[in-house]
Amino acid sequence: VLKEVPLFNTAKVTSFLSAFSSCQNLRSIPLFNTSKVTSFANAFSGCYQLRDVPLLDTSACTDFSNMFAACYSLVTVPTFNTSKATNMSSMFNSANALKSIPLFDTVKCTSISNLTGNNRSQVTEIPAFNMSLSGGLQNLSGSSIWRFKAYGFISPLSVSNNMLSKRELNEIIENLGNPTASQSLTISNNPGATSNPTYSRSSTTTA
């Protein structure tokens, strides 16, 4: 049963694709040299016992999708360098012990959908990610989310099963930026407000 891994020489490694996927008893990882790694997709998915990770060098990485999916024990993550990231979809899907997400650089990201995944997430605040190139979070659902800020959506966003107050709903709209095409934000089953409005905003109209 793999619980820890030695410090391999990874100086020339360019992909960590599914490197430790489904290592269910893995509890920690060393500070690998990952300066040339371009993909961490599914690198630690299904590592149920993984609680924290070091600040890996992710400066060359473009694909972070499902990196920590189903890491049920993960409680913190460092602010990885995501300046080249183009795909961060489902990065923390079902990482239900995680309580916060750093403000990652998402300026080049084209996919950040289902970031936290399901309604068991303990994340209560989503940072103001720049989603000017992405399709947004698309489906942001979680029973505890009470604060959500982001801007620059280019496609419809659905936010459900959260605790967003009227004030937070207003701030969400204010942070959408200046759209260039028809956009919509749908908020449903939201007990934090007395109503569950649907907002549509385009370059010419606001409803």
Coordinates of all heavy atoms in Angstrom, one line a residue, residues 17-99:
L17 N 0.7 13.3 -16.0 CA -0.6 12.8 -16.3 C -0.9 11.5 -15.6 O -0.2 10.5 -15.8 CB -0.7 12.6 -17.8 CG -2.0 12.0 -18.3 CD1 -3.2 12.9 -18.1 CD2 -1.9 11.6 -19.8
S18 N -1.9 11.5 -14.7 CA -2.3 10.4 -13.9 C -1.1 9.7 -13.2 O -1.2 8.5 -12.9 CB -3.0 9.3 -14.8 OG -4.1 9.9 -15.5
A19 N -0.1 10.5 -12.8 CA 1.1 9.9 -12.2 C 0.8 9.1 -10.9 O 1.3 8.0 -10.7 CB 2.1 11.0 -11.9
F20 N -0.1 9.6 -10.1 CA -0.4 9.0 -8.8 C -1.9 8.7 -8.7 O -2.4 8.6 -7.6 CB 0.1 9.8 -7.6 CG 1.6 10.0 -7.6 CD1 2.2 11.2 -8.1 CD2 2.5 8.9 -7.3 CE1 3.5 11.3 -8.1 CE2 3.8 9.1 -7.3 CZ 4.4 10.3 -7.7
S21 N -2.6 8.7 -9.8 CA -4.0 8.5 -9.8 C -4.4 7.2 -9.1 O -3.8 6.2 -9.3 CB -4.6 8.5 -11.2 OG -6.0 8.4 -11.2
S22 N -5.4 7.3 -8.2 CA -6.0 6.2 -7.5 C -5.0 5.6 -6.5 O -5.2 4.4 -6.1 CB -6.5 5.1 -8.5 OG -7.5 5.7 -9.3
C23 N -4.0 6.3 -6.1 CA -3.2 5.9 -5.0 C -3.9 6.2 -3.7 O -3.6 7.3 -3.1 CB -1.8 6.5 -5.0 SG -0.8 5.9 -6.4
Q24 N -4.8 5.4 -3.3 CA -5.8 5.8 -2.3 C -5.2 6.0 -0.9 O -5.8 6.7 -0.1 CB -6.9 4.7 -2.2 CG -7.7 4.5 -3.5 CD -8.7 3.4 -3.5 OE1 -9.0 2.9 -2.4 NE2 -9.4 3.2 -4.6
N25 N -4.1 5.5 -0.6 CA -3.5 5.6 0.7 C -2.3 6.6 0.7 O -1.7 6.8 1.8 CB -3.0 4.3 1.2 CG -4.2 3.3 1.5 OD1 -5.0 3.5 2.4 ND2 -4.3 2.3 0.6
L26 N -2.1 7.3 -0.4 CA -1.0 8.2 -0.5 C -1.3 9.4 0.4 O -2.3 10.1 0.2 CB -0.7 8.7 -1.9 CG 0.5 9.6 -2.2 CD1 1.8 8.9 -1.8 CD2 0.5 10.1 -3.6
R27 N -0.4 9.8 1.4 CA -0.7 10.8 2.3 C 0.1 12.1 2.0 O -0.3 13.2 2.5 CB -0.4 10.3 3.7 CG -1.3 9.2 4.2 CD -0.9 8.7 5.5 NE -1.8 7.6 6.0 CZ -1.7 6.9 7.1 NH1 -0.7 7.2 7.9 NH2 -2.5 6.0 7.4
S28 N 1.2 12.0 1.4 CA 2.1 13.2 1.1 C 2.9 12.9 -0.1 O 3.1 11.8 -0.5 CB 2.9 13.5 2.3 OG 3.9 12.5 2.6
I29 N 3.4 14.0 -0.7 CA 4.3 13.9 -1.8 C 5.5 14.8 -1.6 O 5.3 15.9 -1.0 CB 3.6 14.2 -3.2 CG1 3.0 15.6 -3.1 CG2 2.6 13.2 -3.5 CD1 2.5 16.1 -4.5
P30 N 6.6 14.5 -2.1 CA 7.8 15.3 -1.9 C 7.8 16.5 -2.9 O 6.9 16.6 -3.8 CB 9.0 14.4 -2.2 CG 8.4 13.4 -3.1 CD 7.0 13.2 -2.7
L31 N 8.7 17.4 -2.7 CA 8.8 18.6 -3.6 C 9.6 18.2 -4.8 O 10.8 18.4 -4.9 CB 9.5 19.7 -2.9 CG 9.5 21.1 -3.6 CD1 8.1 21.5 -4.0 CD2 10.2 22.1 -2.8
F32 N 8.9 17.5 -5.8 CA 9.5 17.1 -7.0 C 9.9 18.3 -7.8 O 9.4 19.4 -7.7 CB 8.5 16.3 -7.9 CG 8.1 15.0 -7.3 CD1 6.8 14.7 -7.0 CD2 9.1 14.0 -7.1 CE1 6.4 13.5 -6.5 CE2 8.7 12.8 -6.6 CZ 7.4 12.5 -6.3
N33 N 11.0 18.1 -8.7 CA 11.3 19.2 -9.7 C 10.4 19.0 -10.8 O 10.4 18.1 -11.6 CB 12.8 18.9 -10.1 CG 13.2 20.0 -11.1 OD1 12.4 20.7 -11.7 ND2 14.5 20.1 -11.3
T34 N 9.4 19.9 -10.9 CA 8.4 19.8 -12.0 C 8.5 21.1 -12.9 O 7.5 21.4 -13.5 CB 7.0 19.7 -11.3 OG1 6.8 20.9 -10.4 CG2 6.9 18.4 -10.6
S35 N 9.6 21.6 -13.0 CA 9.8 22.9 -13.8 C 9.4 22.7 -15.3 O 9.1 23.7 -16.0 CB 11.2 23.4 -13.6 OG 12.1 22.5 -14.1
K36 N 9.5 21.5 -15.8 CA 9.2 21.2 -17.2 C 7.9 20.6 -17.5 O 7.5 20.3 -18.6 CB 10.3 20.4 -17.8 CG 11.7 21.1 -17.9 CD 12.7 20.3 -18.6 CE 14.1 21.0 -18.6 NZ 15.1 20.2 -19.3
V37 N 7.1 20.3 -16.4 CA 5.9 19.6 -16.5 C 4.8 20.5 -17.1 O 4.5 21.6 -16.6 CB 5.4 19.1 -15.2 CG1 4.0 18.4 -15.3 CG2 6.4 18.0 -14.6
T38 N 4.2 20.0 -18.2 CA 3.1 20.8 -18.9 C 1.7 20.2 -18.6 O 0.7 20.9 -18.9 CB 3.3 20.8 -20.4 OG1 3.3 19.4 -20.9 CG2 4.7 21.4 -20.8
S39 N 1.6 19.1 -18.0 CA 0.3 18.5 -17.6 C 0.3 17.8 -16.3 O 1.2 17.0 -16.0 CB -0.1 17.5 -18.7 OG -1.3 16.9 -18.3
F40 N -0.6 18.3 -15.4 CA -0.9 17.6 -14.1 C -2.3 17.0 -14.1 O -2.8 16.8 -13.1 CB -0.7 18.6 -13.0 CG 0.7 18.9 -12.5 CD1 1.4 20.0 -13.0 CD2 1.3 18.0 -11.6 CE1 2.6 20.3 -12.5 CE2 2.6 18.3 -11.2 CZ 3.3 19.4 -11.6
A41 N -2.8 16.8 -15.3 CA -4.2 16.2 -15.4 C -4.3 14.9 -14.7 O -3.5 14.0 -14.9 CB -4.5 16.1 -16.9
N42 N -5.2 14.8 -13.8 CA -5.5 13.6 -13.0 C -4.2 13.1 -12.2 O -4.2 12.0 -11.7 CB -5.9 12.5 -13.9 CG -7.3 12.7 -14.5 OD1 -8.3 12.6 -13.8 ND2 -7.3 13.0 -15.8
A43 N -3.3 14.0 -12.0 CA -2.0 13.6 -11.3 C -2.3 13.0 -10.0 O -1.6 12.0 -9.6 CB -1.1 14.8 -11.2
F44 N -3.2 13.5 -9.2 CA -3.4 13.0 -7.8 C -4.9 12.6 -7.6 O -5.4 12.5 -6.5 CB -3.0 14.0 -6.8 CG -1.6 14.5 -7.0 CD1 -1.4 15.8 -7.5 CD2 -0.5 13.7 -6.7 CE1 -0.1 16.3 -7.7 CE2 0.8 14.2 -6.9 CZ 1.0 15.5 -7.4
S45 N -5.6 12.5 -8.7 CA -7.1 12.1 -8.6 C -7.3 10.8 -7.9 O -6.5 9.8 -8.1 CB -7.7 12.1 -9.9 OG -7.2 11.1 -10.8
G46 N -8.2 10.8 -7.0 CA -8.5 9.5 -6.2 C -7.5 9.2 -5.1 O -7.5 8.1 -4.6
C47 N -6.6 10.2 -4.8 CA -5.7 10.0 -3.6 C -6.5 10.4 -2.4 O -6.4 11.5 -1.9 CB -4.5 10.8 -3.8 SG -3.4 10.3 -5.2
Y48 N -7.3 9.5 -1.8 CA -8.2 9.8 -0.8 C -7.6 10.3 0.5 O -8.2 11.1 1.2 CB -9.0 8.5 -0.4 CG -9.8 7.9 -1.6 CD1 -10.2 6.5 -1.5 CD2 -10.2 8.6 -2.7 CE1 -10.9 6.0 -2.5 CE2 -10.9 8.1 -3.7 CZ -11.3 6.7 -3.6 OH -12.0 6.2 -4.6
Q49 N -6.3 9.9 0.8 CA -5.7 10.3 2.0 C -4.8 11.5 1.9 O -4.2 11.9 2.9 CB -4.9 9.1 2.6 CG -5.7 7.8 2.8 CD -6.8 8.0 3.8 OE1 -6.7 8.7 4.8 NE2 -8.0 7.5 3.5
L50 N -4.6 12.0 0.7 CA -3.7 13.1 0.6 C -4.3 14.4 1.2 O -5.4 14.8 0.9 CB -3.5 13.4 -0.9 CG -2.5 14.4 -1.3 CD1 -1.1 14.0 -0.9 CD2 -2.5 14.7 -2.8
R51 N -3.5 15.0 2.2 CA -4.1 16.1 3.0 C -3.5 17.4 2.5 O -4.2 18.4 2.6 CB -3.7 15.9 4.4 CG -4.5 14.7 5.1 CD -4.2 14.6 6.6 NE -4.5 15.9 7.3 CZ -5.8 16.2 7.7 NH1 -6.8 15.3 7.5 NH2 -6.0 17.3 8.4
D52 N -2.3 17.5 2.1 CA -1.7 18.7 1.6 C -0.6 18.4 0.6 O -0.1 17.3 0.5 CB -1.2 19.6 2.7 CG -0.3 18.9 3.6 OD1 0.8 18.5 3.2 OD2 -0.6 18.7 4.8
V53 N -0.2 19.4 -0.2 CA 0.8 19.2 -1.2 C 1.8 20.4 -1.1 O 1.4 21.5 -0.7 CB 0.2 19.1 -2.6 CG1 -0.6 17.8 -2.8 CG2 -0.7 20.3 -2.9
P54 N 3.0 20.2 -1.5 CA 4.0 21.3 -1.5 C 3.7 22.3 -2.7 O 2.9 22.0 -3.6 CB 5.3 20.6 -1.6 CG 5.0 19.3 -2.4 CD 3.6 18.9 -1.9
L55 N 4.4 23.4 -2.7 CA 4.3 24.3 -3.7 C 5.1 23.9 -4.9 O 6.3 24.3 -5.1 CB 4.7 25.7 -3.3 CG 4.6 26.9 -4.3 CD1 3.1 27.0 -4.8 CD2 5.0 28.2 -3.7
L56 N 4.6 23.0 -5.7 CA 5.3 22.5 -6.9 C 5.5 23.6 -7.9 O 4.7 24.5 -8.0 CB 4.4 21.3 -7.5 CG 4.2 20.1 -6.6 CD1 3.2 19.2 -7.3 CD2 5.5 19.4 -6.4
D57 N 6.5 23.5 -8.7 CA 6.8 24.4 -9.8 C 5.8 24.1 -10.9 O 6.0 23.1 -11.6 CB 8.2 24.3 -10.2 CG 8.6 25.4 -11.3 OD1 7.7 26.0 -11.8 OD2 9.8 25.6 -11.5
T58 N 4.8 24.9 -11.1 CA 3.8 24.6 -12.2 C 3.9 25.7 -13.2 O 2.9 25.9 -14.0 CB 2.4 24.5 -11.6 OG1 2.1 25.8 -10.9 CG2 2.3 23.4 -10.6
S59 N 5.0 26.4 -13.3 CA 5.1 27.5 -14.2 C 5.0 27.1 -15.7 O 4.7 28.0 -16.5 CB 6.4 28.2 -14.0 OG 7.5 27.3 -14.2
A60 N 5.2 25.9 -16.0 CA 5.1 25.4 -17.4 C 3.8 24.7 -17.7 O 3.5 24.4 -18.9 CB 6.3 24.5 -17.8
C61 N 3.0 24.5 -16.7 CA 1.8 23.7 -16.9 C 0.7 24.4 -17.5 O 0.3 25.5 -17.2 CB 1.4 23.1 -15.5 SG 0.0 22.0 -15.6
T62 N 0.0 23.7 -18.5 CA -1.2 24.2 -19.1 C -2.4 23.5 -18.7 O -3.5 24.0 -18.8 CB -1.0 24.2 -20.7 OG1 -0.8 22.8 -21.1 CG2 0.2 25.0 -21.1
D63 N -2.3 22.2 -18.3 CA -3.5 21.4 -18.0 C -3.5 20.9 -16.6 O -2.6 20.1 -16.1 CB -3.5 20.1 -18.9 CG -4.8 19.4 -18.9 OD1 -5.6 19.7 -18.0 OD2 -4.9 18.4 -19.7
F64 N -4.4 21.5 -15.8 CA -4.6 21.2 -14.4 C -5.9 20.4 -14.1 O -6.3 20.2 -13.0 CB -4.7 22.4 -13.5 CG -3.4 23.2 -13.4 CD1 -3.0 24.1 -14.4 CD2 -2.5 23.0 -12.3 CE1 -1.8 24.8 -14.3 CE2 -1.4 23.7 -12.2 CZ -1.0 24.6 -13.2
S65 N -6.5 19.9 -15.2 CA -7.8 19.3 -15.1 C -7.8 18.1 -14.2 O -6.9 17.2 -14.3 CB -8.4 18.9 -16.5 OG -7.6 18.0 -17.1
N66 N -8.8 18.0 -13.3 CA -8.9 16.8 -12.4 C -7.7 16.6 -11.5 O -7.5 15.5 -11.0 CB -9.3 15.6 -13.1 CG -10.6 15.7 -13.8 OD1 -11.7 15.6 -13.1 ND2 -10.7 15.8 -15.1
M67 N -6.8 17.5 -11.3 CA -5.6 17.3 -10.6 C -5.8 16.8 -9.2 O -5.1 15.8 -8.8 CB -4.8 18.7 -10.5 CG -3.4 18.6 -9.9 SD -2.6 20.2 -10.0 CE -1.0 19.8 -9.2
F68 N -6.8 17.3 -8.5 CA -7.0 16.8 -7.2 C -8.5 16.3 -7.0 O -9.0 16.3 -5.9 CB -6.8 17.9 -6.2 CG -5.4 18.5 -6.1 CD1 -5.1 19.7 -6.7 CD2 -4.4 17.7 -5.6 CE1 -3.8 20.2 -6.7 CE2 -3.1 18.2 -5.6 CZ -2.8 19.4 -6.1
A69 N -9.0 15.8 -8.1 CA -10.4 15.3 -8.1 C -10.5 14.1 -7.1 O -9.6 13.2 -7.1 CB -10.9 14.9 -9.5
A70 N -11.5 14.1 -6.3 CA -11.7 13.0 -5.3 C -10.6 12.8 -4.3 O -10.3 11.7 -3.8 CB -12.0 11.7 -6.0
C71 N -9.9 13.9 -4.0 CA -8.9 13.9 -2.9 C -9.7 14.3 -1.7 O -9.8 15.5 -1.3 CB -7.8 14.9 -3.2 SG -6.6 14.4 -4.5
Y72 N -10.4 13.4 -1.1 CA -11.4 13.6 0.0 C -10.8 14.3 1.2 O -11.5 14.9 2.0 CB -12.1 12.3 0.4 CG -12.8 11.7 -0.8 CD1 -12.8 10.3 -0.9 CD2 -13.5 12.4 -1.7 CE1 -13.5 9.6 -1.9 CE2 -14.2 11.7 -2.7 CZ -14.2 10.4 -2.8 OH -14.8 9.7 -3.8
S73 N -9.5 14.1 1.5 CA -8.9 14.6 2.7 C -8.1 15.8 2.5 O -7.5 16.4 3.5 CB -7.9 13.5 3.3 OG -8.6 12.3 3.6
L74 N -8.0 16.3 1.3 CA -7.2 17.5 1.0 C -7.8 18.7 1.7 O -9.0 19.1 1.5 CB -7.2 17.8 -0.5 CG -6.2 18.8 -1.0 CD1 -4.8 18.5 -0.8 CD2 -6.5 19.1 -2.5
V75 N -7.0 19.4 2.5 CA -7.6 20.5 3.3 C -7.0 21.9 2.8 O -7.7 22.9 3.0 CB -7.3 20.4 4.8 CG1 -8.1 19.2 5.3 CG2 -5.9 20.1 5.1
T76 N -5.8 21.9 2.3 CA -5.2 23.1 1.8 C -4.5 22.9 0.5 O -4.0 21.8 0.2 CB -4.3 23.8 2.8 OG1 -3.2 22.9 3.0 CG2 -5.0 24.1 4.1
V77 N -4.4 23.9 -0.3 CA -3.6 23.9 -1.5 C -2.8 25.2 -1.6 O -3.4 26.3 -1.3 CB -4.4 23.6 -2.8 CG1 -4.9 22.2 -2.9 CG2 -5.5 24.7 -3.0
P78 N -1.6 25.2 -2.1 CA -0.8 26.4 -2.2 C -1.3 27.2 -3.5 O -2.0 26.7 -4.3 CB 0.6 26.0 -2.4 CG 0.5 24.6 -2.9 CD -0.8 24.0 -2.4
T79 N -0.8 28.4 -3.6 CA -1.2 29.2 -4.8 C -0.2 28.8 -5.9 O 0.9 29.4 -6.1 CB -1.1 30.7 -4.5 OG1 -1.9 31.0 -3.3 CG2 -1.6 31.5 -5.6
F80 N -0.6 27.8 -6.6 CA 0.3 27.4 -7.7 C 0.4 28.5 -8.8 O -0.5 29.3 -9.0 CB -0.3 26.1 -8.4 CG -0.3 24.9 -7.5 CD1 -1.5 24.3 -7.1 CD2 0.8 24.3 -7.0 CE1 -1.6 23.2 -6.3 CE2 0.8 23.2 -6.2 CZ -0.4 22.6 -5.9
N81 N 1.5 28.4 -9.5 CA 1.7 29.3 -10.7 C 0.8 28.7 -11.8 O 1.1 27.7 -12.4 CB 3.1 29.4 -11.1 CG 3.4 30.3 -12.2 OD1 2.5 30.7 -13.0 ND2 4.6 30.8 -12.3
T82 N -0.2 29.4 -12.1 CA -1.1 29.0 -13.2 C -1.2 29.9 -14.4 O -2.2 30.0 -15.1 CB -2.6 28.7 -12.6 OG1 -3.0 30.0 -12.0 CG2 -2.6 27.6 -11.6
S83 N -0.1 30.7 -14.5 CA -0.1 31.7 -15.5 C -0.2 31.2 -17.0 O -0.6 31.9 -17.9 CB 1.2 32.6 -15.4 OG 2.3 31.7 -15.5
K84 N 0.1 29.9 -17.2 CA 0.0 29.3 -18.5 C -1.2 28.3 -18.6 O -1.4 27.7 -19.6 CB 1.3 28.6 -18.9 CG 2.5 29.5 -19.1 CD 3.7 28.8 -19.6 CE 4.9 29.7 -19.8 NZ 6.1 29.0 -20.2
A85 N -2.0 28.3 -17.6 CA -3.1 27.3 -17.5 C -4.1 27.6 -18.6 O -4.6 28.7 -18.7 CB -3.7 27.3 -16.1
T86 N -4.5 26.6 -19.3 CA -5.6 26.7 -20.2 C -6.8 25.8 -19.8 O -7.9 26.0 -20.3 CB -5.2 26.3 -21.7 OG1 -4.7 25.0 -21.7 CG2 -4.1 27.3 -22.2
N87 N -6.6 24.8 -19.0 CA -7.6 23.9 -18.6 C -7.5 23.7 -17.1 O -6.5 23.1 -16.6 CB -7.5 22.6 -19.3 CG -8.7 21.7 -19.1 OD1 -9.6 22.0 -18.2 ND2 -8.8 20.6 -19.8
M88 N -8.5 24.1 -16.3 CA -8.5 23.9 -14.9 C -9.9 23.2 -14.5 O -10.3 23.2 -13.3 CB -8.3 25.2 -14.1 CG -7.0 25.8 -14.3 SD -6.8 27.4 -13.5 CE -6.9 27.0 -11.8
S89 N -10.5 22.6 -15.4 CA -11.8 22.0 -15.2 C -11.7 20.9 -14.2 O -10.8 20.0 -14.2 CB -12.4 21.5 -16.5 OG -11.6 20.5 -17.1
S90 N -12.7 20.9 -13.3 CA -12.8 19.8 -12.2 C -11.5 19.6 -11.4 O -11.3 18.5 -10.9 CB -13.2 18.5 -12.9 OG -14.4 18.6 -13.5
M91 N -10.8 20.7 -11.3 CA -9.5 20.6 -10.6 C -9.6 20.1 -9.2 O -8.8 19.3 -8.6 CB -8.8 21.9 -10.6 CG -7.4 22.0 -10.0 SD -6.6 23.6 -10.3 CE -5.0 23.4 -9.5
F92 N -10.7 20.5 -8.5 CA -11.0 20.1 -7.1 C -12.3 19.4 -7.0 O -13.0 19.4 -5.9 CB -11.0 21.3 -6.2 CG -9.7 22.1 -6.3 CD1 -9.6 23.3 -6.9 CD2 -8.5 21.6 -5.7 CE1 -8.5 24.0 -6.9 CE2 -7.3 22.3 -5.8 CZ -7.3 23.5 -6.4
N93 N -12.8 18.8 -8.1 CA -14.0 18.1 -8.0 C -14.1 17.0 -7.0 O -13.2 16.1 -6.9 CB -14.3 17.4 -9.4 CG -15.7 16.9 -9.6 OD1 -16.5 16.8 -8.6 ND2 -16.0 16.4 -10.8
S94 N -15.0 17.1 -6.0 CA -15.2 16.2 -4.9 C -14.1 16.2 -3.9 O -13.9 15.2 -3.1 CB -15.4 14.7 -5.5 OG -16.5 14.6 -6.3
A95 N -13.2 17.2 -3.9 CA -12.3 17.4 -2.8 C -13.0 18.1 -1.7 O -12.9 19.3 -1.4 CB -11.1 18.2 -3.3
N96 N -13.8 17.3 -1.0 CA -14.9 17.9 -0.1 C -14.4 18.4 1.2 O -15.1 19.1 1.9 CB -15.9 16.8 0.1 CG -16.7 16.4 -1.1 OD1 -16.8 17.2 -2.1 ND2 -17.2 15.2 -1.2
A97 N -13.1 18.1 1.6 CA -12.6 18.7 2.8 C -11.9 20.0 2.6 O -11.6 20.8 3.5 CB -11.6 17.7 3.4
L98 N -11.7 20.4 1.3 CA -11.1 21.7 1.0 C -12.0 22.8 1.3 O -13.2 22.8 0.9 CB -10.7 21.7 -0.5 CG -9.8 22.8 -1.0 CD1 -8.5 22.7 -0.4 CD2 -9.7 22.8 -2.5
K99 N -11.6 23.8 2.1 CA -12.4 24.9 2.5 C -12.2 26.2 1.8 O -13.0 27.1 1.9 CB -12.3 25.1 4.0 CG -12.7 23.9 4.8 CD -12.6 24.1 6.3 CE -13.1 22.9 7.1 NZ -13.1 23.1 8.6

